[in-house]
Amino acid sequence: MRRLLVLICALVAVIGTAPLGHAQTQPWFADSVGSATQVISVVGVGGSKAKMDVYQRTPAGWQPVGVGIPAWIGANGMAPQTHDGEMKTPMGVFTLDFAFGTAPNPGGGLPYVQVGPDHWWDGDMKSPTYNTMQVCKKAQCPFDTDPASGTENLDIPQYVHAVVMGVNKARVPGNGGAFFLHATDGGPTAGCVAIDDATLVKIMQWLRPGALIAVSK
């Protein structure tokens, strides 16, 4: 518990929010997240931009850990249901299953995978491993690695740090994949949520299993 409080204080120091001791009114997602105690709220503010707020549930209710964090979303905004190639960020409440990045593990409660040139997110709709992370040499991968197929090589600057959003966990072909919370390159995404990397690292260090991300207009 002491370590968690230290991480929360560090996150507050970086983002510059209201003190944790101030009670927060019921946030918009409160009735949609079950017993979760950590929620990242992403609300669109127009176009491909959004505002991120980070919340912790305490005995006193939901408390803001970070508020007003500028975020980029899909180049074509948000949609309740997204499909491959639409460049839209899916709306809803999603799990945050594990983290990855080209950089070493910065610490935190989620499993972390350090990725390199042989790490892929399979976007091939004909592949049995569609919408999962795979490790293989490009010439030996059993799925289509051409970017036109939707497959992504994960060894890119935007994925210096990233957290996997549990979108389309049923892996229905065409219903979208490779949705992450990742470091921004300063512009819209293909459907992910992107923020400043230093802030992202602090959030990753704070996250614990069971955390959720809630996305809405």
Side-chain angles (χ1 to χ4, degrees), residues 44-156:
V45 296
S48 56
K49 293 185 177 181
K51 176 177 72 75
M52 178 181 291
D53 299 320
V54 183
Y55 288 90
Q56 175 87 35
R57 197 205 303 256
T58 74
W62 288 102
Q63 303 283 350
V65 176
V67 297
I69 303 166
W72 290 96
I73 55 173
N76 293 323
M78 296 179 176
Q81 173 64 61
T82 58
H83 298 91
D84 288 287
E86 287 187 329
M87 305 285 280
K88 294 181 179 179
T89 298
M91 297 164 58
V93 177
F94 308 105
T95 56
L96 293 169
D97 297 325
F98 68 95
F100 70 90
T102 59
N105 187 357
L110 299 183
Y112 187 87
V113 179
Q114 187 170 1
V115 299
D118 296 335
H119 286 81
W120 308 83
W121 199 272
D122 181 2
D124 179 358
M125 287 184 279
K126 297 179 181 178
S127 169
T129 56
Y130 170 76
N131 197 27
T132 63
M133 180 185 287
Q134 297 295 313
V135 185
C136 52
K137 299 289 185 184
K138 183 174 182 178
Q140 300 170 356
C141 293
F143 49 86
D144 190 348
T145 60
D146 189 315
S149 72
T151 296
E152 290 189 43
N153 185 273
L154 301 180
D155 188 19
I156 63 173

Side-chain angles (χ1 to χ4, degrees), residues 11 13 38 43 46 56 66 77 85 107 143 165-166 174 179 199 215 217:
L11 184 58
Q38 294 181 318
V43 177
Q56 175 87 35
F143 49 86
M165 297 167 56
F179 292 103
T199 303
V215 184
K217 290 185 178 178

Side-chain angles (χ1 to χ4, degrees), residues 142-215:
F143 49 86
D144 190 348
T145 60
D146 189 315
S149 72
T151 296
E152 290 189 43
N153 185 273
L154 301 180
D155 188 19
I156 63 173
Q158 294 93 320
Y159 298 155
V160 60
H161 297 104
V163 183
V164 176
M165 297 167 56
V167 179
N168 191 19
K169 296 182 83 165
R171 300 195 291 113
V172 176
N175 277 5
F179 292 103
F180 314 126
L181 168 59
H182 65 73
T184 181
D185 62 3
T189 72
C192 295
V193 178
I195 63 172
D196 172 72
D197 184 58
T199 303
L200 175 57
V201 167
K202 292 298 182 183
I203 291 174
M204 289 170 61
Q205 292 171 335
W206 167 79
L207 286 171
R208 294 294 180 270
L212 301 174
I213 185 167
V215 184

Side-chain angles (χ1 to χ4, degrees), residues 26-41 57 62 91-95 210-216:
Q26 229 23 10
W28 67 271
F29 56 77
D31 295 331
S32 304
V33 297
S35 60
T37 59
Q38 294 181 318
V39 175
I40 298 173
S41 163
R57 197 205 303 256
W62 288 102
M91 297 164 58
V93 177
F94 308 105
T95 56
L212 301 174
I213 185 167
V215 184
S216 182

